Amino acid sequence: MKNLIGVAALALAGLTACKTINKANPAAVAKFPAFSTEGHRGGRGLMPENTIIAMKNAVDIGITTLEMDTHITKDGEVVVTHDDYLSPGFMLTPEGKEIPAADSKKYAVYQMDYALLKTFDLGTKPLAGFPEQKKIKTYIPRLADLIDSVQIYTKSKKQMFYNIETKCSPKGDGVTNPDPETFVKLLMDVIEKKGIRPFVVIQSFDKRTLQILHKKYPNVRTSFLVSNQKTVEENLSDLGFDPFILSTEYKMVNEELVRKCHERNVKVIPWTPNTKADIERLKSLKVDGIISDYPNLL
C-alpha cells in the first residue's frame, strides 16, 4: 500500500510540475543548452526508437534534449513514431508475427485508431544496422503519455528540452498525415496542455508546419530540417524566415555553413553522425549541438 501511495504521490508531483511551468508564463522560452546533445529517436542505437524507455535511457545518459518524431492517428491522437506506415523492419503484429514485406504499406498510422496502433509490438524484433539496441517489448506511445512519463521521471533531476518533428508532407496530405494546419493545432494542443512550451523546439522537413508555427506561435522555436545541396541563403529564403535552428544532414556541415548560420543568429544542429570521429569533426566546426543514434557518444 505504501508503494502505491508513493507512486501516486510521485505522479501527482510530476503533473503539478507541468502545471507550474504552464502557469508561470506559457509564452516564455527557457535558455537553450549551450550545446544540445540529442539522441536520435531517443537513441535508437541503444533502445527501441521513439519509445518512453528510449527517452528515459537518454535522460540517464545525460543528454540535454529529447529528439522524437510525431504522427497523427485516425482518431486525432498525436503519437511518437517516425514512419508513415508500420515498418516490417522492426514492428510485429499484435500476435507477435512478422509483417510481410508485401504489407509494408498496409498499416498507415494516420488510418489507424490509437487503441489498435498501441497493440503492435515495437522492440522485440532486432533492427538491422543497430546490433547494440536492447530488445524490450514495448509500443508506440502517445506524445501526451511520453511527456507525462518524462516529466515525472526527471522531477528530481533536470528539466529536459524536447525536439519534436512533424512527420508530414504535401504528398501525404489526407493519406499519411492531416493538412499542416490540423497537424500543428493537434501538436500544440498537447504541448500547451502539458505546459512544456518554453522547452520545445518543433522541427520539420515540411516547411509548411514551420511557417504556420512562425505565424501563429511566434515564440515557439523552430528547426528547419534539410538534406539538400542548397546554400544556407537558398534554404532560409525557401522557408521565408530565419528559424532558431538549421538542422542539416551531418555530411553537409562545413565552416562556411556554420559561419553563415551564426551570422544570422541561426544555430546549427546536424544529424546523424554515429562515430566518434564524425562527432569530433562537427564539434571542431563549432556546431551548436548534435543528433546521434548513439547518445552515449555525445
Side-chain angles (χ1 to χ4, degrees):
M1 177 60 73
K2 289 182 178 179
N3 287 341
L4 290 175
I5 293 173
V7 171
L10 184 59
L12 179 60
L15 293 174
T16 301
C18 288
K19 291 178 181 178
T20 301
I21 292 169
N22 196 26
K23 289 179 179 178
N25 186 355
V29 290
K31 184 178 180 180
F32 197 70
F35 188 86
S36 184
T37 52
E38 310 187 19
H40 185 228
R41 308 185 195 181
R44 65 173 174 166
L46 308 175
M47 287 285 182
E49 68 177 58
N50 280 315
T51 60
I52 292 173
I53 57 175
M55 301 302 163
K56 288 181 176 180
N57 185 62
V59 170
D60 291 340
I61 287 172
I63 58 90
T64 66
T65 308
L66 299 174
E67 197 272 353
M68 65 197 72
D69 308 279
T70 55
H71 269 282
I72 309 298
T73 62
K74 184 178 181 180
D75 51 345
E77 295 286 355
V78 184
V79 294
V80 182
T81 189
H82 178 273
D83 298 341
D84 295 340
Y85 302 86
L86 298 188
S87 172
F90 58 90
M91 299 290 299
L92 298 175
T93 68
E95 297 76 31
K97 296 180 180 180
E98 297 268 350
I99 297 175
D103 290 343
S104 62
K105 292 191 175 182
K106 179 178 180 179
Y107 302 105
V109 173
Y110 184 54
Q111 304 300 333
M112 301 171 69
D113 287 338
Y114 182 64
L116 174 59
L117 183 68
K118 188 178 180 180
T119 64
F120 282 75
D121 180 344
L122 166 59
T124 298
K125 182 177 179 178
L127 177 59
F130 297 96
E132 297 177 43
Q133 187 188 90
K134 289 186 179 179
K135 303 324 301 171
I136 304 172
K137 183 178 180 180
T138 185
Y139 59 91
I140 293 173
R142 297 190 315 147
L143 176 63
D145 296 332
L146 186 151
I147 292 169
D148 283 344
S149 295
V150 169
Q151 291 298 115
I152 293 170
Y153 191 67
T154 59
K155 179 68 166 62
S156 61
K157 300 177 182 178
K158 62 178 180 179
Q159 174 62 52
M160 303 302 298
F161 282 78
Y162 295 82
N163 186 8
I164 304 172
E165 182 176 347
T166 59
K167 298 302 295 184
C168 54
S169 66
K171 68 178 182 180
D173 287 352
V175 180
T176 56
N177 54 260
D179 64 85
E181 290 272 359
T182 299
F183 200 127
V184 169
K185 183 180 187 309
L186 290 170
L187 176 59
M188 287 305 302
D189 282 351
V190 174
I191 290 169
E192 298 283 23
K193 183 178 180 180
K194 298 303 176 183
I196 62 166
R197 186 201 279 203
F199 308 98
V200 165
V201 174
I202 306 297
Q203 62 177 348
S204 192
F205 285 98
D206 188 346
K207 65 182 180 182
R208 301 176 304 166
T209 54
L210 302 183
Q211 290 165 342
I212 292 166
L213 284 160
H214 182 65
K215 180 179 179 180
K216 294 190 173 183
Y217 305 89
N219 60 325
V220 173
R221 291 163 166 149
T222 55
S223 176
F224 191 25
L225 290 162
V226 295
S227 59
N228 55 49
Q229 296 302 316
K230 294 181 180 179
T231 65
V232 169
E233 294 85 354
E234 287 169 339
N235 274 314
L236 298 186
S237 176
D238 183 37
L239 180 60
F241 67 95
D242 286 1
F244 183 64
I245 298 166
L246 183 67
S247 192
T248 68
E249 199 273 336
Y250 79 94
K251 293 179 181 178
M252 296 170 55
V253 179
N254 54 37
E255 289 184 9
E256 182 182 17
L257 183 144
V258 174
R259 176 180 57 78
K260 287 184 175 180
C261 283
H262 286 175
E263 286 174 351
R264 299 175 70 147
N265 293 317
V266 175
K267 294 183 181 298
V268 179
I269 300 184
W271 49 271
T272 37
N274 286 333
T275 68
K276 197 68 177 176
D278 284 329
I279 288 170
E280 291 305 316
R281 181 187 75 84
L282 291 166
K283 286 183 177 180
S284 72
L285 293 173
K286 307 300 183 184
V287 298
D288 302 285
I290 292 174
I291 303 170
S292 175
D293 288 313
Y294 294 93
N296 54 312
L297 296 180
L298 300 176

